[in-house]
């Protein structure tokens, strides 16, 4: 655990970006298309040995092979950023195989989401800022504006997000270190030795896909029961899609905000996480939630660009759907 946050240095034209698969494998054509786009950005892609290799079930390689790929990308001083190709499952296998200090000795931008949430939290707890953002599938299809914002972060331009009000928002002002991501992945590692130092306040970001309400409810309660939750100063709820409604709530946001009735903290709902808009995890940030909308600012040196995000109100399920 570290109380000091290190921002990896910005990339320059010609710098290398490694494509690494810490979890599931990905088709080679997606890797090649992603590499093409990285070259168009002005950088040089280098591909780890085990990315599209279907060696062990769905994984890109054995746990030792995947750990070796990640260790190579972290320790190679000529590589300036690491783009995870996809999530799925398997990142947890790597955490005990790579000493935490390795990330701090060689700080560089690491990008991913979903199951990669575990790796990002490891970096943040070590004291290295990282990017919760698009992976190879999104980069290869030029998913915008996530791809462009990610490229800009790598080049030193930080995002600032402004989004409309949401019926489940709770107004207020908060500052803290941004952590979180996929709820299933984050809840699994939170409370272990991988956590922020005790003197750091937290802004928590949560999203989920293809889970049921009762599973989301249980995982969120797991977080609330941890001592770390007392340091949460604000919460951002991202997308919850393909959710099975097996409890009597009209939406995930309705359920989770109801569980926060005893906490006087700002809550921002409806952040469009499904579009893979990048967050800078492990970075100090400021969250302001007002009737005019929410503003998330990363308190990092350098130029910032504000993005106005349009987003409809959180969806409400029909009564018959919510009761099924």
């Amino acid at each position: 655990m570290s109380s000091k946050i290190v921002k990896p240095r910005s990339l320059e034209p010609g710098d290398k970006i490694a494509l690494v698969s810490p979890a599931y494998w990905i088709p080679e054509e997606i890797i090649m298309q992603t590499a093409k786009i990285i070259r168009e950005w002005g950088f040089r892609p280098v591909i780890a040995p085990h990315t599209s290799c279907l060696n062990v079930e769905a994984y890109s390689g054995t746990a030792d092979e995947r750990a070796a790929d990640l260790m190579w990308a972290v320790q190679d001083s000529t590589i300036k950023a690491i783009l995870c190709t996809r999530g799925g499952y398997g990142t947890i296998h790597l955490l005990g195989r790579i000493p935490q200090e390795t990330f701090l000795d060689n700080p560089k931008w690491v990008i991913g989401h979903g199951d990669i949430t575990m790796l990002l939290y490891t970096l943040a707890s070590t004291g290295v800022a990282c990017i919760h953002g698009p992976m190879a599938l999104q980069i290869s299809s030029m998913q915008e504006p996530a791809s462009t914002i990610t490229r800009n972060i790598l080049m030193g331009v930080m995002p600032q997000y402004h989004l409309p009000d949401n019926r489940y928002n709770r107004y207020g002002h908060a500052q803290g270190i941004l952590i979180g991501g996929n709820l299933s992945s984050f809840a699994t590692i939170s409370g272990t030795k991988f956590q922020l130092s005790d003197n750091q306040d937290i802004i928590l970001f949560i999203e989920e896909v293809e889970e049921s309400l009762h599973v989301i409810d249980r995982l969120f309660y797991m977080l609330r029961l941890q001592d770390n939750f007392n340091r949460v100063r604000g919460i951002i709820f991202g997308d919850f899609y393909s959710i099975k409604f097996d409890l009597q709530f009209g939406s995930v946001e309705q359920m989770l905000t109801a569980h926060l009735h005893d906490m006087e903290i700002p809550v921002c709902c409806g952040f469009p996480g499904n579009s893979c808009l990048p967050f800078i995890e492990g970075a100090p940030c400021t969250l302001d939630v007002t009737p005019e909308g929410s503003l998330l600012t990363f308190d990092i040196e350098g130029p910032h660009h504000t993005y106005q995000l349009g987003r409809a109100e959180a969806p409400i399920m029909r009564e018959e759907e919510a009761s099924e």
Side-chain angles (χ1 to χ4, degrees), residues 214-229:
H214 86 269
V215 169
I216 293 172
D217 183 65
R218 180 174 67 241
L219 292 173
F220 195 72
Y221 261 113
M222 285 174 56
L223 295 180
R224 285 226 53 184
L225 291 171
Q226 294 175 11
D227 291 338
N228 281 344
F229 207 88

Side-chain angles (χ1 to χ4, degrees), residues 33-86:
Q33 178 62 18
T34 304
K36 176 177 179 290
I37 291 172
I38 289 174
R39 283 190 291 270
E40 292 173 353
W41 287 356
F43 307 125
R44 289 188 290 164
V46 289
I47 302 171
H50 307 92
T51 53
S52 57
C53 305
L54 183 58
N55 290 337
V56 182
E57 298 177 352
Y59 303 124
S60 64
T62 65
D64 287 338
E65 288 170 338
R66 287 177 280 133
D69 281 2
L70 183 58
M71 182 73 86
W72 156 74
V74 171
Q75 293 185 318
D76 189 329
S77 62
T78 69
I79 293 173
K80 305 304 180 183
I82 301 170
L83 175 64
C84 298
T85 63
R86 68 160 297 177

